[in-house]
Each structure stands twice: as structure tokens, then as C-alpha cells.
Amino acid sequence: MAKCKSCGAEIRWIKMASGKSMPVDPDPVTYWARPGAAGKVVTPNGEVYSCVFEGNLSQATGLGYISHFTTCPNADKHRKKYGGSHEG
Ligand SMILES: [Zn+2]
């Protein structure tokens, strides 16, 4: 298992369609895809969806991972380090 260089938390790397790798929290979560929702989930295939994380289990979209950028206590450092035009 990889570890975040900023906070030391265990992370998993998911390869995105773009070819870049995204650090995510290691535990998969159930998500409900919902366009425009504030939440973001990364699927094992490397796709990112807007979603919510609560709902009717029988209607869940599937399992995905939460970007470590969202949960890292040192996310600001990530942003500076990786930068890029993908903000937001
Ligand atoms: Zn971290």
C-alpha cells in the first residue's frame, strides 16, 4: 500500500483515462452518481463522477474511491506541488 507523502495516510493510486494517476483513499465507498452534486468519486476504471454518498442501496451506482485530495489534511500542499489546469 502506498502512503501519502504529505500526511502519511495509506492511499491507493488509480490510473485515470488521461494517463495520470490519482491518489485515493484505500477503502471503496458506495456512491450514487448525480450530475452537479458536490461529491466526486473515482471509479476503479479511472473515471470521475459527481455523486452523493447516501441513498437507497438498491439504487446505488456502484463502488468507487474518494480522491485523497478531498480528504488529505495537507491538500493545499498537494495543489501547490501538482498544480495544473485541472483545478475545481
Ligand atoms: Zn495526504
Side-chain angles (χ1 to χ4, degrees), residues 23-83:
V24 299
D25 286 358
D27 296 325
V29 296
T30 305
Y31 72 95
W32 288 255
R34 186 170 296 175
K40 290 277 189 293
V41 71
V42 185
T43 72
N45 294 334
E47 295 167 304
V48 179
Y49 292 111
S50 296
C51 70
V52 295
F53 296 103
E54 290 181 343
N56 188 329
L57 265 184
S58 67
Q59 296 173 359
T61 307
L63 286 176
Y65 296 93
I66 297 178
S67 167
H68 186 63
F69 292 140
T70 304
T71 61
C72 184
N74 299 328
D76 287 349
K77 289 182 188 169
H78 279 297
R79 291 217 176 82
K80 275 182 191 144
K81 186 172 174 187
Y82 294 107

